[in-house]
Amino acid sequence: MMFKLTGKILSTITSLIILLGAVIYFYINNSSSTDTKKVDNTREILIVKRVVDGDTFELSNGEKVRLLGIDTPEKFESKKLDKDVEVTKQDKKTIKKLGKLASDYVKNFVEGKKVILEREPNYDDKDRYGRLLRWIYLEDGTFVNGKIVRDGYAQVYEKFPVSKLDELRKYQKEARENNRGLWGPVEGLEQFK
């Protein structure tokens, strides 16, 4: 009798352990699929947790991503801001204002959304600051890097030969010719050229 009771208890405990394992497995797989979903070796899906500035995002997995092929004005004090002042001959206040406008623009259409991150073939995975280097797409197929340039809130970053530079140059030319975004009149500021 004691053996049968112990067998029933063991059977019940075993069933509970299996059930608990299944629940944990389901929870881990479903929670990770909302944060990170690998599409293939070059693409994954994540959520933009926060827009740091116009060309840098913090992702739902805690990593930061730097958008390839584009450069937005700086909104924070940095060596890059000092370099932008030197190159553009604009004052820091103007560049920081333009940087905030670019950042706010990007935040309005990307923050909190699922995005597809795509690696550049035969290119570094991360920059010197540890940020992922990626092309970004919204779920509807919108090419985020291109949209930011096309709408006039970023310039093409020409320093590195990445695959979509020609496409981005075309968008920049259109934005400048049509005075879009920061290429147009910005209230209280000179035109950023």
Side-chain angles (χ1 to χ4, degrees):
M1 179 84 167
M2 187 66 138
F3 183 75
K4 288 183 179 179
L5 185 58
T6 305
K8 286 182 180 180
I9 291 173
L10 275 175
S11 176
T12 303
I13 290 172
T14 303
S15 295
L16 287 173
I17 290 172
I18 292 170
L19 179 62
L20 180 61
V23 168
I24 291 170
Y25 176 81
F26 180 79
Y27 176 77
I28 289 171
N29 284 331
N30 282 336
S31 66
S32 67
S33 69
T34 58
D35 286 346
T36 305
K37 181 179 179 187
K38 196 134 179 115
V39 176
D40 57 35
N41 287 338
T42 62
R43 294 181 299 155
E44 61 186 334
I45 298 173
L46 287 155
I47 296 171
V48 175
K49 180 178 175 183
R50 178 176 70 95
V51 170
V52 176
D53 62 26
D55 53 33
T56 305
F57 307 156
E58 182 181 346
L59 302 167
S60 56
N61 66 357
E63 289 201 79
K64 288 188 179 168
V65 63
R66 170 66 166 83
L67 280 67
L68 282 169
I70 73 169
D71 187 33
T72 60
E74 294 300 306
K75 71 175 197 176
F76 302 111
E77 286 290 330
S78 66
K79 289 180 183 177
K80 172 71 167 59
L81 175 64
D82 294 337
K83 186 177 176 184
D84 286 353
V85 167
E86 186 180 319
V87 169
T88 66
K89 308 300 182 219
Q90 298 280 351
D91 61 273
K92 282 186 179 185
K93 182 180 175 184
T94 299
I95 293 173
K96 287 167 79 172
K97 170 78 173 172
L98 295 170
K100 180 168 177 8
L101 290 170
S103 181
D104 290 347
Y105 166 78
V106 174
K107 182 179 181 176
N108 285 331
F109 81 93
V110 172
E111 199 167 86
K113 300 230 174 103
K114 278 187 183 180
V115 293
I116 300 164
L117 286 77
E118 182 177 281
R119 289 188 67 175
E120 171 75 6
N122 305 313
Y123 197 74
D124 293 337
D125 186 50
K126 294 184 177 184
D127 68 7
R128 64 182 173 180
Y129 304 108
R131 299 176 297 187
L132 297 170
L133 297 169
R134 299 291 188 268
W135 302 112
I136 307 292
Y137 297 87
L138 294 178
E139 285 185 296
D140 68 3
T142 300
F143 176 36
V144 173
N145 311 53
K147 179 173 175 46
I148 297 168
V149 173
R150 177 181 270 165
D151 292 347
Y153 288 92
Q155 296 184 72
V156 177
Y157 191 56
E158 301 273 355
K159 188 173 181 178
F160 301 104
V162 290
S163 62
K164 296 179 181 3
L165 281 184
D166 287 341
E167 180 179 356
L168 294 172
R169 287 180 188 121
K170 183 182 97 176
Y171 296 153
Q172 178 174 288
K173 184 176 186 278
E174 291 171 8
R176 289 184 81 156
E177 289 172 352
N178 293 294
N179 298 316
R180 291 187 197 132
L182 304 181
W183 300 112
V186 176
E187 186 176 328
L189 299 176
E190 290 182 36
Q191 194 165 344
F192 189 54
K193 297 183 181 187

